[in-house]
Amino acid sequence: MTIPCYYINLDRSPERDADFRAECARVGIEPLRVPAVDGRALPEDVVAAMGPRTSGEYGVGYGEIGCFLSHVRLWEMVVAQAQDWAFVCEDDIHFSSNAPEFMGSSGWLPGDADLVKAETVFQRVLMDKRPTASVFGHGLFRLCSAHGGTAGYFISRRGAEKLLKLTSAACDPVDQLMFNPRLGIAGHLSIWQLEPAICVQDYLVTASDRHSGVESVVNAAPRLFHPEGGRSAKPKGFERRVMGPLRKLGGLAERLMTNTLTRRRFRKVPVEIDGVRFVAAGKAGTK
């Protein structure tokens, strides 16, 4: 059974819609558009009601609220249509040339999987040193740490049901809710990662002259609910000068210990677009 490809697009962004359809045509994917929830168009009482649902860890504004509700809309569709699997993406991504192979059949997906992350944001993530399986030349790994972004992921019906239940009283950046164990939801999900990834957001590869530099709609919107000393709060004074470097040193030590003494390893997930392998944001390479 083929896996449907749904993409989220704001009604007020027809140019992004056209660009994304052109990208899908380039690799041979037939996408299905789902109108995004426009956070700026929501009634103020609906927006205000989201405030108590935030964790205080991250800033949340119209963009984050609209993005979160857009993904919730898609999860509801997957459940309502009784689909075993769906591919969910946003309208600012580029695909690897073999991405359609992954949507041709669901047979490659792990039986216990709720989510398979198909994108990369080039942050260091923790995975097993060896893949559980090899799929169309890509490794399939269990994801054991946070990995931001919701621009491209496979979701099972069971995973959609879990997320609808687990996020019913939440409202934070949806990628953190789904893929960051810190917020208490990802730990209830079976999450996997494709390496290399098969898609990446445009802004991460804009150093290449072959891409247009599509701005993130979410990041462009102002914050309404600000972090209360959480991860996105700006460090000040002593914390910035002393604690910041100490945390970086501690993170480096943790990665070295994990990479050396365990069966897991922290590393960045690469992606290949138009024959160019990207190993970090805006940086092409061979490693």
Side-chain angles (χ1 to χ4, degrees):
M1 176 180 290
T2 59
I3 300 174
C5 172
Y6 296 111
Y7 72 101
I8 301 167
N9 170 254
L10 287 164
D11 288 340
R12 58 181 168 85
S13 297
E15 69 292 338
R16 292 170 67 107
D17 182 51
D19 287 346
F20 181 73
R21 286 187 172 277
E23 172 66 10
C24 289
R26 180 183 69 82
V27 297
I29 292 173
E30 296 184 8
L32 300 170
R33 180 181 181 271
V34 176
V37 175
D38 191 340
R40 293 178 180 273
L42 290 171
E44 284 304 313
D45 60 328
V46 172
V47 173
M50 293 295 177
R53 295 172 57 168
T54 64
S55 66
E57 290 285 325
Y58 299 92
V60 175
Y62 293 113
E64 286 80 11
I65 293 171
C67 186
F68 168 67
L69 293 177
S70 297
H71 284 269
V72 169
R73 174 180 288 177
L74 271 164
W75 305 338
E76 291 173 340
M77 285 178 55
V78 171
V79 173
Q81 297 176 11
Q83 294 171 331
D84 291 336
W85 282 92
F87 181 74
V88 175
C89 60
E90 296 171 0
D91 64 1
D92 60 344
I93 65 171
H94 299 280
F95 287 108
S96 63
S97 60
N98 68 338
E101 295 183 75
F102 292 86
M103 300 176 204
S105 168
S106 61
W108 62 272
L109 288 153
D112 73 333
D114 296 313
L115 297 164
V116 176
K117 193 168 179 64
E119 70 170 317
T120 181
V121 297
F122 302 117
Q123 74 183 81
R124 295 187 188 276
V125 297
L126 181 62
M127 301 185 294
D128 290 337
K129 290 180 179 177
R130 296 182 180 276
T132 299
S134 179
V135 185
F136 307 122
H138 295 242
L140 188 57
F141 297 81
R142 284 193 182 275
L143 184 59
C144 305
S145 69
H147 190 183
T150 49
Y153 60 90
F154 293 90
I155 183 168
S156 67
R157 182 167 71 248
R158 179 181 59 214
E161 291 170 343
K162 286 184 180 181
L163 279 168
L164 288 171
K165 181 178 180 180
L166 291 166
T167 63
S168 61
C171 182
D172 273 297
V174 67
D175 61 331
Q176 301 301 325
L177 287 170
M178 295 174 68
F179 298 113
N180 189 345
R182 181 184 176 94
L183 294 187
I185 290 176
H188 296 279
L189 302 168
S190 175
I191 306 175
W192 297 69
Q193 172 75 52
L194 284 172
E195 184 194 36
I198 62 170
C199 60
V200 64
Q201 283 185 284
D202 183 272
Y203 81 93
L204 289 168
V205 291
T206 52
S208 168
D209 61 9
R210 64 186 65 215
H211 301 304
S212 58
V214 178
E215 181 183 17
S216 169
V217 172
V218 173
N219 293 337
R223 301 295 184 265
L224 300 173
F225 308 109
H226 297 281
E228 301 170 359
R231 291 182 66 85
S232 59
K234 292 183 178 180
K236 299 179 180 179
F238 177 79
E239 183 177 2
R240 183 180 66 250
R241 294 192 303 271
V242 179
M243 296 306 296
L246 285 177
R247 289 195 185 98
K248 289 183 179 179
L249 184 61
L252 176 60
E254 178 190 8
R255 292 196 298 271
L256 287 173
M257 292 285 287
T258 299
N259 293 351
T260 304
L261 302 177
T262 75
R263 295 181 179 180
R264 295 174 176 173
R265 183 178 181 84
F266 282 97
R267 59 188 182 275
K268 296 180 180 180
V269 177
V271 66
E272 184 173 305
I273 305 296
D274 290 351
V276 178
R277 184 179 176 88
F278 289 89
V279 297
K283 296 181 180 179
T286 57
K287 296 183 179 180

